[in-house]
């Protein structure tokens, strides 16, 4: 089922991967996806998914072609002062501030509010580890977008209850800052070109986390989805993933998911951190 292919473009060796992505198994009867609940040290996720084959294109050497407003994702070079991502206080002070400044620089936004982060060091099948599975959080191997269009506004109103009526009149975004803690070999992350994913492929699904009832997208399979990644991301690389943009003239969201590269199937579990940002513009 799995094959790796390599090609050379502009003097850079490519590591494209033939693999599978898990898409929501739509029952076809109009029923809503099962809700997810996260909290109290565990996660409940019983949504059925089915694997579908895709080629994931390695964009190494061509990163500048893929931008937040054209494709929904963007790779940046950023050396962090924080290296281990074990100390929660250091993450929420030093690294959060680095993320704010990076997102402001890339987007031109005046304000960046970070509402949570996730560190992942667990195995691929971490969902099945039992009550303590959040302590062993690993990669998410199901195609998704963290917020639906309505879910983005729900998050904005939760974070800024006194300002939201004014903030929704201006441009706002939700962007994930995704960074390797060590060089990524096993279970790399892929993002889909927003232009290849019509809204009709997205299905709103309830997700409650620590008392906040939000809404994300699950995804119907479509063979026209175009998946991309960068091979062997290092701790000096950052991937910005757009989950939402109120500006309807640009790429508004990018599907993302971890996937299996058979070349590195037996390596140690992936280590990464993602920081979730509400990005607020004055105009």
């Amino acid at each position: 089922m799995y094959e790796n292919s390599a090609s050379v473009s502009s003097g850079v060796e490519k590591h494209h991967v033939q693999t599978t992505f898990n898409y929501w198994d739509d029952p076809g009867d109009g029923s809503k996806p099962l809700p997810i609940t996260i909290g109290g040290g565990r996660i409940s996720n019983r949504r059925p998914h089915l694997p579908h084959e895709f080629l994931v294109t390695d964009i190494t050497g061509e990163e500048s072609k893929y931008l937040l407003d054209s494709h929904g994702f963007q790779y940046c070079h950023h050396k962090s002062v924080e290296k281990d991502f074990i100390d929660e206080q250091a993450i929420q002070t030093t690294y959060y501030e680095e993320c704010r400044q990076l997102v402001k620089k890339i987007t031109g936004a005046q304000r960046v509010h970070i509402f949570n982060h996730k560190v992942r060091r667990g195995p691929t099948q971490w969902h099945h580890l039992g009550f303590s599975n959040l302590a062993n959080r690993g990669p998410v191997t199901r195609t998704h977008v963290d917020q639906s269009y309505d879910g983005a506004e729900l998050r904005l109103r939760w974070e800024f209850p006194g300002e939201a009526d004014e903030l929704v009149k201006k441009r706002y975004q939700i962007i994930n800052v995704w960074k390797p803690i060590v060089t990524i070999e096993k279970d790399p992350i892929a993002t889909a070109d927003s232009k290849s994913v019509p809204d009709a492929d997205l299905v709103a699904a309830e997700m409650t986390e620590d008392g906040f009832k939000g809404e994300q997208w699950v995804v119907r399979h479509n063979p026209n989805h175009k998946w991309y990644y960068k091979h062997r991301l290092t701790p000096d690389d950052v991937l910005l993933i757009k989950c939402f943009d109120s500006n309807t003239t640009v790429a508004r969201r990018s599907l993302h998911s971890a996937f299996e590269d058979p070349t590195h199937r037996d390596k140690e579990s992936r280590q990464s951190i993602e920081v979730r940002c509400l990005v607020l513009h004055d105009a």
Side-chain angles (χ1 to χ4, degrees), residues 115-232:
F115 55 90
N116 66 32
H117 72 276
K118 300 287 187 291
V119 175
R120 301 185 186 277
R121 288 189 166 94
T124 305
Q125 301 302 325
W126 65 285
H127 283 287
H128 307 295
L129 292 177
F131 183 81
S132 63
N133 60 6
L134 287 185
N136 299 283
R137 182 184 278 114
V140 177
T141 54
R142 298 173 177 181
T143 59
H144 68 286
V145 182
D146 291 15
Q147 286 84 24
S148 67
Y149 298 153
D150 288 341
E153 183 172 338
L154 289 172
R155 174 56 77 173
L156 181 73
R157 292 187 177 279
W158 178 269
E159 300 295 329
F160 298 103
E163 299 180 65
D165 286 346
E166 291 302 316
L167 292 175
V168 295
K169 298 175 184 178
K170 303 175 183 179
R171 186 184 186 186
Y172 69 100
Q173 303 163 296
I174 296 180
I175 295 173
N176 287 0
V177 180
W178 196 100
K179 185 180 186 68
I181 296 173
V182 297
T183 297
I184 301 297
E185 294 185 318
K186 184 174 183 176
D187 297 327
I189 188 169
T191 48
D193 179 0
S194 179
K195 296 187 296 295
S196 73
V197 183
D199 281 352
D201 293 344
L202 306 174
V203 181
E206 181 184 309
M207 183 173 73
T208 300
E209 182 172 9
D210 297 327
F212 167 68
K213 184 179 285 188
E215 189 177 84
Q216 62 175 183
W217 295 123
V218 296
V219 191
R220 295 188 179 99
H221 170 251
N222 184 332
N224 295 319
H225 294 169
K226 305 297 182 187
W227 287 97
Y228 299 91
Y229 88 119
K230 182 178 178 180
H231 184 50
R232 287 182 59 85

Side-chain angles (χ1 to χ4, degrees), residues 237-253:
D237 290 306
V238 169
L239 170 61
L240 302 181
I241 306 171
K242 187 187 288 186
C243 295
F244 171 78
D245 198 325
S246 62
N247 184 345
T248 61
T249 67
V250 299
R252 301 193 69 193
R253 70 289 181 278

Side-chain angles (χ1 to χ4, degrees), residues 7 17 20-21 44 60 62 73 92 97 103 123 142 151 157 167 170 179 215 217 220 224 234 244-245 265 277 283:
S7 63
V17 182
T20 61
F21 286 95
S44 172
T60 301
E62 301 177 294
F73 62 91
Q92 294 184 35
E97 184 58 26
V103 172
R142 298 173 177 181
R157 292 187 177 279
L167 292 175
K170 303 175 183 179
K179 185 180 186 68
E215 189 177 84
W217 295 123
R220 295 188 179 99
N224 295 319
T234 76
F244 171 78
D245 198 325
R265 181 184 291 137
C277 305

Side-chain angles (χ1 to χ4, degrees), residues 35-67:
I36 291 176
T37 302
I38 302 172
R42 68 182 302 168
I43 180 171
S44 172
N45 185 351
R46 296 183 177 86
R47 290 177 190 158
H49 285 68
L50 292 174
H52 297 272
E53 286 204 44
F54 284 88
L55 176 70
V56 190
T57 299
D58 179 11
I59 67 170
T60 301
E62 301 177 294
E63 296 92 335
S64 62
K65 296 180 180 178
Y66 301 87
L67 303 175

